[in-house]
Amino acid sequence: MKGVISMNSRKTSADTPAHGAIGTPSRALLPAVATLAALLTAGTVRADDSEDQNVLQEITVTAQRRSEDINKVPINVTAYSEAQMDDQGIHQIDDIARLTPDLQFTHTSGAAGNNSNDIAIRGVFSDVGAATTGIYIDDTPIQMRNVGYWNANAFPQVFDLERVEVLRGPQGTLFGAGAEGGAVRFILPEPGLSQYSGYARSELAGTIDGAPSYELGAALGGPIVEDKLGFRVSAWGRNDGGYIDRVSTDSGQTVESNSNATQSFAGRAALAAVPVDNLKITAAVLYQSIYERDRNQYWSTLSDPSSNDFKQGSRVPQPTRDRFVLPSLKVQYDFDNMSFVSNTSYYYHLDYADLDYTTYFGGIFDGNPLQFLPGDEPSHAFITNHQNAVTEEARLQSSDPKAFLAWTAGFFYSDMRQNDQDITTDGQAVYTSTLGDTVSFGQFTSAEDRQVAGYADVDLNVMPGLKLSAGVRVSSDRFSFDQVGSY
């Protein structure tokens, strides 16, 4: 076993918004946050890592659905191995965007733990309709359609990943209509059949005038029966300490200190079996939950950023939650010159937000967003989005990417359903709400995407350094949409 322990210290700064009543300080750009050398310990330990860390290692990617050296892939792809992500301090989605040209993330307002984002590659983005960037966990697409009032993609936490691949440019042949701008693929480690491997990471950080942050995670995999049965399990948790106090706009007293703390958890279990030669069956389940106790925003009228004093005056807490579960079954059979691969998965994703609309209605009906009269009830907006997707993909592919003719042909089926519910209430009743005699807002949206597609991709390795590629995809897509609103 070879261990790698890293320690670092940094202090960051940001400009204060010049206008507006609300500011949103990014954790990476927050002047109130300094990672203190005396308090910070960050460690990463990898088992079975015997390579010389000073030697540039080649990265094998599956950008064309078959394993190839990244330098031989005829598309624009950036890939990060687990070791590279640790060495470069990539611990969240924003860090990947920071290091990857042409990849942009925009945090969705109110999204849990800043995990949910609008994503674009090479500027190709639309905030309505179908996705323009594919998001994959292994072979399962998890991007969602923009319907209803508030939709947000989920991304797996950057822990126990074999690698992350960013494919720039249209990927319509192998990844379908949701990848006009490109695709981001999160590749998870497979269960070990011949040797054990492990990974662990921990971090402790302090926040000036805020609460501490800490994380701990570990993963282990290896054979149960040599070359016949193997496993991989991992568990990771993180607490991001809050730094914004929620205060009463009437008395000025603090209602809750460090209210915007975030708790995150991710766990995975995978089991691989080889019942007969050349046949490998892998069953896995991935679960992730992110809960933010209050919104990551401060009010400039109540705060003094130059003194690391951040406050907000919402009448009620505004918690958000983002969680998903992804069970999958992969079957692979290797023939002499080609392989058959089938991936079946079910993806369930829930976004939830409880927002404070008291100031919104106060400004509309009373002329003063901060006025709160005796007997008034705070107004809530409950926003819930459910995403359910069943996906099946089966493909045949050549085994040798260096052969004169390398090819992939496959079938794809998906049935994705989304239900979005947006309700504003005074806190006394969830489905009927009033502020005085004023009826508030309710909206219910349901959508279904069903796709059946066949595709083929061929590479001709004409000579060293010259490769000709051609691909085709034929698909039948059906989309239905219903929306009901009440005012």
Side-chain angles (χ1 to χ4, degrees):
M1 175 181 291
K2 180 178 180 181
V4 180
I5 303 295
S6 61
M7 298 184 65
N8 56 68
S9 174
R10 68 180 181 181
K11 182 178 177 68
T12 57
S13 61
D15 296 329
T16 302
H19 302 286
I22 296 179
T24 307
S26 168
R27 292 190 188 281
L29 298 175
L30 180 66
V33 177
T35 308
L36 306 178
L39 296 178
L40 173 69
T41 59
T44 302
V45 177
R46 305 183 195 95
D48 249 359
D49 185 6
S50 58
E51 296 96 346
D52 186 345
Q53 296 297 315
N54 295 319
V55 177
L56 181 62
Q57 302 293 325
E58 292 184 351
I59 297 180
T60 299
V61 298
T62 53
Q64 292 188 289
R65 298 299 180 91
R66 53 180 179 265
S67 297
E68 297 177 272
D69 185 336
I70 190 173
N71 296 319
K72 305 299 183 182
V73 177
I75 60 176
N76 195 333
V77 55
T78 298
Y80 302 95
S81 67
E82 182 180 72
Q84 287 177 321
M85 288 187 284
D86 285 334
D87 292 342
Q88 298 186 57
I90 298 178
H91 286 174
Q92 57 183 358
I93 301 301
D94 300 64
D95 298 327
I96 297 175
R98 173 172 54 86
L99 297 175
T100 306
D102 300 324
L103 177 64
Q104 299 90 34
F105 286 98
T106 302
H107 289 299
T108 303
S109 176
N114 288 327
N115 180 58
S116 303
N117 303 268
D118 292 325
I119 181 174
I121 297 179
R122 290 182 172 176
V124 180
F125 170 73
S126 174
D127 58 2
V128 295
T132 56
T133 300
I135 306 168
Y136 278 73
I137 299 178
D138 288 333
D139 284 338
T140 301
I142 64 170
Q143 68 267 17
M144 68 190 307
R145 178 181 287 267
N146 283 309
V147 298
Y149 175 74
W150 174 58
N151 307 117
N153 287 308
F155 296 86
Q157 293 296 307
V158 182
F159 179 79
D160 195 34
L161 297 176
E162 181 176 312
R163 66 184 179 276
V164 176
E165 300 175 3
V166 180
L167 286 59
R168 289 186 285 271
Q171 306 295 324
T173 299
L174 297 176
F175 297 97
E180 285 87 350
V184 180
R185 305 183 67 222
F186 298 86
I187 310 300
L188 307 178
E190 294 190 359
L193 291 172
S194 59
Q195 63 180 4
Y196 280 89
S197 63
Y199 175 78
R201 192 175 78 203
S202 64
E203 182 177 281
L204 174 65
T207 306
I208 295 177
D209 295 327
S213 299
Y214 47 86
E215 75 168 63
L216 179 64
L220 179 66
I224 300 173
V225 178
E226 188 78 16
D227 296 327
K228 291 295 182 181
L229 186 65
F231 76 98
R232 181 82 179 186
V233 293
S234 65
W236 171 89
R238 180 178 179 89
N239 179 80
D240 288 293
Y243 49 85
I244 300 175
D245 297 334
R246 186 164 66 89
V247 302
S248 169
T249 55
D250 299 321
S251 64
Q253 298 297 311
T254 299
V255 177
E256 184 178 4
S257 299
N258 305 322
S259 63
N260 63 319
T262 301
Q263 287 82 44
S264 307
F265 173 80
R268 177 176 180 252
L271 187 68
V274 182
V276 297
D277 291 344
N278 301 325
L279 175 62
K280 183 179 180 181
I281 302 173
T282 305
V285 60
L286 173 65
Y287 174 81
Q288 179 174 294
S289 176
I290 300 177
Y291 175 71
E292 190 169 271
R293 287 181 12 216
D294 212 335
R295 297 192 74 178
N296 189 28
Q297 294 182 337
Y298 69 91
W299 293 18
S300 60
T301 53
L302 301 176
S303 305
D304 183 8
S306 63
S307 300
N308 300 322
D309 183 17
F310 295 91
K311 298 177 180 178
Q312 56 102 343
S314 298
R315 293 288 174 179
V316 293
Q318 301 182 85
T320 57
R321 183 180 297 278
D322 182 284
R323 67 169 178 248
F324 68 79
V325 60
L326 174 61
S328 62
L329 179 67
K330 180 180 179 181
V331 178
Q332 179 171 338
Y333 188 85
D334 296 322
F335 300 93
D336 290 339
N337 299 313
M338 64 180 180
S339 297
F340 169 79
V341 180
S342 171
N343 182 75
T344 306
S345 62
Y346 170 73
Y347 178 66
Y348 173 77
H349 175 214
L350 169 68
D351 284 319
Y352 171 82
D354 180 355
L355 306 180
D356 179 22
Y357 267 40
T358 308
T359 56
Y360 173 76
F361 282 117
I364 291 178
F365 299 110
D366 297 333
N368 183 355
L370 299 182
Q371 180 171 302
F372 196 68
L373 301 176
D376 285 350
E377 291 287 340
S379 178
H380 294 254
F382 297 97
I383 303 173
T384 306
N385 189 292
H386 296 270
Q387 180 184 4
N388 300 269
V390 175
T391 304
E392 165 62 31
E393 182 173 13
R395 64 183 185 272
L396 280 172
Q397 58 192 45
S398 58
S399 301
D400 184 7
K402 298 180 181 179
F404 174 74
L405 178 65
W407 56 271
T408 300
F411 165 83
F412 177 84
Y413 170 82
S414 70
D415 188 346
M416 185 187 74
R417 306 186 183 199
Q418 289 179 230
N419 292 283
D420 181 86
Q421 176 178 285
D422 313 316
I423 300 170
T424 305
T425 175
D426 62 1
Q428 296 177 335
V430 174
Y431 291 99
T432 59
S433 60
T434 60
L435 183 68
D437 296 325
T438 305
V439 177
S440 64
F441 170 79
Q443 179 175 285
F444 304 87
T445 305
S446 62
E448 180 180 4
D449 273 299
R450 183 174 295 174
Q451 180 184 149
V452 178
Y455 61 86
D457 183 78
V458 177
D459 289 340
L460 294 179
N461 294 296
V462 180
M463 62 178 67
L466 177 61
K467 178 182 290 188
L468 302 179
S469 299
V472 62
R473 187 181 187 101
V474 179
S475 66
S476 173
D477 301 274
R478 177 184 176 185
F479 173 66
S480 60
F481 177 91
D482 294 297
Q483 187 174 81
V484 177
S486 63
Y487 301 86

